[in-house]
Amino acid sequence: MSKKLLFHFLALTTALIWGSTFAVSKVLLNNGLNPPEIMTLRFILAYFLMLPFAHKNIKSFSIKDELLFIICGITGGSIYFLTENTAVEITSASSTVALLVCLTPVFTAVANYLINKDEKLPKRFFLGSIIALGGTALVVFNGVFVLDDNPLVIVLSICAELCWTVYSLILRGLEKRYSSDTITRKVFFWGVVTCIYFLFFPPQATIETLTKPEVLFCLLFLAIIASLGCYLVWNMIMKRIGVVTASNYLFFNPISALLTAHIVLNENITIYAIIGCILTITGVYICNRGDIKH
């Protein structure tokens, strides 16, 4: 396997892991934790777990870079998770959130092209994106076509989508000057700092809740695998294959979410979802075909 193909495989793996976090977070929500608690606890755990391996180069090269790290901590951490999870929490049709957030690869690609103009968008990108988005919609709805028309849900979902786009574009510049572990540590730190004030409100989670085996397992999974491991790998992936190509793999999030929900929450999988999976895989392959072959 070539190095470039390896990073495509890692991008797919990371996207699938992130997709599974919807079901894992749902388990925590069902046990009484709220979105700010989940986000803050997972990032605090991830931050302190990586400190022994990334305790050097604490300072940034400039105040400007530190400000960029703060924005990354907000857009790739606190505000991103709070807006997305809050949208899921207040709607009865979470498919609306999932579908809107899945527009992130398209938003990121277009924004990167308009700002940087160095990653071209060939015709196959638009064709592949349409096919992948259609497949994603089938996976998200899974045979039950329900959309929430609550304006707040739509605003929060789009906010989460734009946050990740901004995070990806800023990260693209920082990765030229800093290592992946430095960037990841900074993102975790500022993500916690900009979200920790929520913990001063009366907490919903008790010590008894946090020590439940299923809650502890879910928190450790989110902290070690989905945060520490995936953020480190994702930062390396973006550096190697580019922000547009990497972002296309986020179309796989709903597929993983569907499979995990089936295993963890006993949710059904319909023929619509299976067709959607096939279309999503086809669409992403079309988008990244030229890059994979090289």
Side-chain angles (χ1 to χ4, degrees):
M1 181 183 292
S2 66
K3 286 186 177 180
K4 200 162 193 179
L5 191 58
L6 173 62
F7 281 103
H8 281 274
F9 174 76
L10 290 174
L12 172 61
T13 303
T14 302
L16 292 176
I17 291 173
W18 277 341
S20 70
T21 61
F22 286 96
V24 174
S25 296
K26 187 68 174 179
V27 172
L28 294 176
L29 289 169
N30 290 341
N31 275 278
L33 280 74
N34 59 33
E37 288 174 332
I38 295 171
M39 182 271 158
T40 306
L41 288 172
R42 71 183 278 187
F43 268 39
I44 286 177
L45 283 171
Y47 180 76
F48 282 104
L49 284 170
M50 79 174 299
L51 270 185
F53 311 100
H55 58 278
K56 298 180 180 179
N57 303 321
I58 297 295
K59 293 183 179 180
S60 300
F61 297 146
S62 66
I63 295 177
K64 177 184 176 182
D65 282 357
E66 195 64 41
L67 290 174
L68 291 175
F69 279 125
I70 294 174
I71 296 174
C72 282
I74 293 172
T75 56
S78 56
I79 300 302
Y80 172 77
F81 284 107
L82 288 174
T83 50
E84 182 183 273
N85 290 340
T86 301
V88 172
E89 194 176 40
I90 66 176
T91 180
S92 58
S94 57
S95 56
T96 305
V97 182
L99 186 59
L100 288 171
V101 171
C102 278
L103 288 170
T104 300
V106 179
F107 269 47
T108 302
V110 173
N112 182 70
Y113 175 75
L114 293 175
I115 295 172
N116 298 309
K117 299 184 183 298
D118 58 351
E119 287 190 60
K120 296 181 179 180
L121 297 180
K123 293 180 180 179
R124 58 179 168 78
F125 169 81
F126 297 100
L127 174 61
S129 295
I130 292 172
I131 294 174
L133 189 59
T136 297
L138 287 175
V139 172
V140 166
F141 290 121
N142 196 23
V144 182
F145 298 91
V146 180
L147 280 173
D148 192 325
D149 58 359
N150 184 337
L152 182 58
V153 172
I154 297 173
V155 170
L156 288 171
S157 302
I158 293 176
C159 181
E161 181 181 334
L162 292 176
C163 277
W164 192 260
T165 297
V166 171
Y167 170 74
S168 299
L169 294 178
I170 294 178
L171 186 66
R172 187 178 177 280
L174 290 172
E175 68 188 10
K176 298 176 181 177
R177 301 187 295 279
Y178 297 90
S179 63
S180 295
D181 58 338
T182 298
I183 293 173
T184 304
R185 189 192 64 235
K186 288 282 191 181
V187 171
F188 288 164
F189 177 79
W190 287 115
V192 170
V193 168
T194 55
C195 188
I196 202 167
Y197 68 91
F198 281 98
L199 297 184
F200 289 98
F201 292 91
Q204 294 186 18
T206 63
I207 298 298
E208 182 181 359
T209 299
L210 293 176
T211 53
K212 287 183 180 179
E214 64 177 351
V215 171
L216 191 58
F217 173 81
C218 289
L219 284 174
L220 290 175
F221 173 81
L222 291 176
I224 299 173
I225 306 298
S227 294
L228 179 53
C230 286
Y231 271 75
L232 275 171
V233 172
W234 191 255
N235 293 341
M236 290 188 290
I237 290 167
M238 296 244 296
K239 184 183 295 186
R240 295 303 182 106
I241 65 176
V243 61
V244 174
T245 302
S247 296
N248 285 333
Y249 284 98
L250 296 178
F251 280 120
F252 284 100
N253 278 4
I255 295 177
S256 177
L258 179 74
L259 294 174
T260 309
H262 175 69
I263 296 170
V264 177
L265 304 174
N266 295 317
E267 293 187 6
N268 293 326
I269 297 178
T270 68
I271 187 63
Y272 297 100
I274 295 173
I275 295 172
C277 289
I278 296 171
L279 287 175
T280 301
I281 293 170
T282 303
V284 173
Y285 174 76
I286 292 173
C287 285
N288 296 343
R289 181 179 57 193
D291 192 63
I292 292 174
K293 288 183 176 181
H294 293 86

